[in-house]
Amino acid sequence: MREEFPKWPMVDGVTPIVGEPMRFLVTSWTDSKKKYLVDLESLGGHGACGCENFQMRCLPRWNKDRAEGRPKVARRCKHVVRALI
């Protein structure tokens, strides 16, 4: 039985993970050999990525906003944004 892929338009370098509808492998813009796991359900639907930028910059800022009760602004790396398109 073949899994159905999402119906929305796909972006080059974004590959859906079969059987996991909100998870994608996103190819790095600077190194086509690197792929990052993006999970759009993570962080309450905000989305998370395994790239260094997300782990070292976006996630700590998102956590700080949450801890200080500030509105959760878009703290996303380009890989999460590409998977959202």
Side-chain angles (χ1 to χ4, degrees):
M1 179 188 269
R2 190 172 153 233
E3 289 282 334
E4 289 296 318
F5 286 102
K7 302 295 184 211
W8 60 83
M10 299 307 295
V11 175
D12 285 343
V14 177
T15 306
I17 298 175
V18 176
E20 299 182 48
M22 298 301 286
R23 297 180 86 191
F24 302 86
L25 289 176
V26 179
T27 303
S28 168
W29 287 0
T30 56
D31 183 355
S32 62
K33 294 177 185 173
K34 286 185 183 177
K35 294 186 186 290
Y36 299 107
L37 176 63
V38 172
D39 184 347
L40 296 180
E41 288 183 322
S42 244
L43 302 176
H46 176 75
C49 179
C51 76
E52 186 175 314
N53 180 50
F54 185 85
Q55 298 298 318
M56 301 301 289
R57 291 186 180 149
C58 301
L59 184 57
R61 289 176 184 167
W62 189 87
N63 286 330
K64 185 176 180 184
D65 288 347
R66 187 171 151 226
E68 294 176 359
R70 290 193 301 246
K72 295 177 188 111
V73 296
R75 303 282 190 199
R76 295 178 171 132
C77 67
K78 58 190 171 188
H79 309 108
V80 171
V81 172
R82 285 176 67 200
L84 283 168
I85 294 176

